[in-house]
Amino acid sequence: MDKSTQIKAMASETRMLILRLLAEPQNHFGHQWSADPREFGVCMTLIAEALAVAQPTASRHLDILRQAGFITVRKHQKWSYCKRDETAIREHLAWLGRQLLV
């Protein structure tokens, strides 16, 4: 994964908030009726509502997180659902830690 894309993704407080919200989807999106937010992911519309931003703004932030590999996006019917990629996040944090020790 391109480290500059990952660093860009982490450089935004909004994107960090999205990752924090998605870390505990049951707590923040338990009202999602279309699919289990923990198993399937969270609908982009609900993420936009949680951020109090327009759908296109949320979509742009989510796309940057997807490009960085920190979330996966899966479509179901007319909706898109987002889920954290825990492995990618852990690998990035480990890489960052190694860089800071040099």
Side-chain angles (χ1 to χ4, degrees):
M1 189 56 58
D2 177 40
K3 295 302 179 195
S4 64
T5 302
Q6 290 183 323
I7 291 168
K8 176 183 175 181
M10 293 286 191
S12 162
E13 182 56 38
T14 300
R15 291 189 285 275
M16 294 297 289
L17 175 58
I18 292 169
L19 291 175
R20 286 192 301 272
L21 292 172
L22 292 177
E24 297 180 328
Q26 256 340 95
N27 294 344
H28 301 288
F29 303 102
H31 60 287
Q32 177 174 280
W33 58 268
S34 57
D36 181 337
R38 188 176 13 155
E39 296 298 319
F40 201 81
V42 176
C43 180
M44 284 186 176
T45 302
L46 294 180
I47 295 170
E49 288 174 7
L51 298 173
V53 299
Q55 181 76 34
T57 301
S59 293
R60 181 68 187 130
H61 284 296
L62 292 165
D63 189 51
I64 291 169
L65 288 169
R66 183 196 56 76
Q67 289 174 30
F70 296 143
I71 65 168
T72 58
V73 178
R74 133 165 105 167
K75 294 189 184 297
H76 180 66
Q77 297 179 359
K78 63 180 181 175
W79 297 289
S80 295
Y81 294 83
C82 302
K83 188 174 181 179
R84 281 173 47 127
D85 185 328
E86 299 297 337
T87 300
I89 292 169
R90 276 192 305 277
E91 287 173 358
H92 178 71
L93 293 174
W95 171 83
L96 184 60
R98 288 190 304 274
Q99 299 308 306
L100 295 173
L101 295 175
V102 175

